[in-house]
Amino acid sequence: EPEVTQTPSHQVTQMGQEVILRCVPISNHLYFYWYRQILGQKVEFLVSFYNNEISEKSEIFDDQFSVERPDGSNFTLKIRSTKLEDSAMYFCASSAPRGPPGDTQYFGPGTRLTVL
Amino acid sequence: AQSVAQPEDQVNVAEGNPLTVKCTYSVSGNPYLFWYVQYPNRGLQFLLKYITGDNLVKGSYGFEAEFNKSQTSFHLKKPSALVSDSALYFCAVAGQNFVFGPGTRLSVLP
């Protein structure tokens, strides 16, 4: 069964450094998402991406964040200058061609980001 | 604005007993409702969803959920709990993106 994959599984970085989190969505999916979860708490929406542009973003997704689909298979989340409060589990998700609402989003296993 | 509430942080149930994890929602328009489960150090796994049709939705691992429009609820149920069902359960409402509830930790005791 196809699945969403994410790398790395754990990223440790110093405050102020740039990090790039990588995701490979399910191959025929066209809608991509990033969510974050702090310490096993609520899962929060960051951004959605369709047709090579951001379709929606939350207030969490400020100028420090960016997303890109560089090569038709990967979907990346970049944090330019990490802060301590960026420490969280980051989940990538993708959904099928029909798009929202109502389509099931399939989640990757997550990348745990630790900012020191 | 869409929102989801899960009124119980923790639910404890004995193995073999029925379980219910509660969810209420607030949306404008038709609700698209989902349940996901998260095991320790894992991602979110899809259990089931309600889009339209029958109010009782059946999903993975023997779980089902009942959509109740008048009570704006979408409670997750299972007739007989297993120890392996112990996990964190999230209810979500879908629009352009998902809005998740705060999660309910289910502990099934042997």
Side-chain angles (χ1 to χ4, degrees):
Chain A
E1 185 176 327
E3 58 184 21
V4 177
T5 59
Q6 290 185 244
T7 54
S9 57
H10 191 189
Q11 174 90 47
V12 180
T13 190
Q14 295 290 326
M15 188 170 58
Q17 295 297 303
E18 175 183 286
V19 294
I20 297 176
L21 310 182
R22 292 182 168 79
C23 167
V24 178
I26 294 172
S27 61
N28 66 335
H29 286 185
L30 299 178
Y31 293 81
F32 315 117
Y33 312 84
W34 284 102
Y35 293 81
R36 78 173 186 190
Q37 182 185 36
I38 296 175
L39 288 176
Q41 295 178 15
K42 190 173 183 176
V43 179
E44 301 173 294
F45 168 74
L46 292 178
V47 65
S48 59
F49 191 86
Y50 169 71
N51 200 25
N52 283 321
E53 61 182 25
I54 291 172
S55 50
E56 191 172 352
K57 60 183 180 179
S58 71
E59 66 259 17
I60 303 170
F61 194 88
D62 62 22
D63 291 345
Q64 293 300 311
F65 291 88
S66 62
V67 288
E68 191 179 30
R69 188 155 163 82
D71 58 12
S73 62
N74 289 283
F75 179 51
T76 62
L77 174 70
K78 182 192 291 186
I79 309 175
R80 288 190 184 82
S81 178
T82 49
K83 308 184 189 81
L84 294 176
E85 55 264 36
D86 293 328
S87 294
M89 182 74 90
Y90 287 81
F91 293 108
C92 174
S94 67
S95 66
R98 283 193 309 279
D103 267 347
T104 300
Q105 292 184 21
Y106 293 91
F107 285 75
T111 293
R112 181 173 299 282
L113 176 65
T114 302
V115 182
L116 302 176
Chain B
Q2 300 175 124
S3 66
V4 176
Q6 293 179 243
E8 300 157 318
D9 293 335
Q10 173 90 35
V11 170
N12 297 320
V13 63
E15 187 174 30
N17 283 1
L19 69 87
T20 299
V21 183
K22 295 180 180 176
C23 171
T24 59
Y25 64 90
S26 174
V27 299
S28 54
N30 294 324
Y32 300 93
L33 299 162
F34 292 74
W35 276 102
Y36 283 82
V37 59
Q38 184 180 31
Y39 296 99
N41 300 312
R42 301 284 297 278
L44 299 164
Q45 295 180 32
F46 169 71
L47 281 178
L48 50 80
K49 68 180 180 183
Y50 172 83
I51 303 300
T52 186
D54 288 341
N55 290 341
L56 186 64
V57 179
K58 293 190 184 296
S60 307
Y61 313 120
F63 284 93
E64 57 189 29
E66 186 168 11
F67 171 68
N68 187 315
K69 188 173 183 179
S70 62
Q71 296 185 4
T72 61
S73 67
F74 189 56
H75 300 334
L76 181 70
K77 300 181 179 184
K78 187 173 183 181
S80 178
L82 300 172
V83 172
S84 56
D85 292 330
S86 298
L88 191 55
Y89 290 79
F90 290 97
C91 182
V93 60
Q96 286 299 108
N97 60 77
F98 277 15
V99 175
F100 284 90
T104 297
R105 188 164 300 281
L106 173 67
S107 291
V108 181
L109 309 173

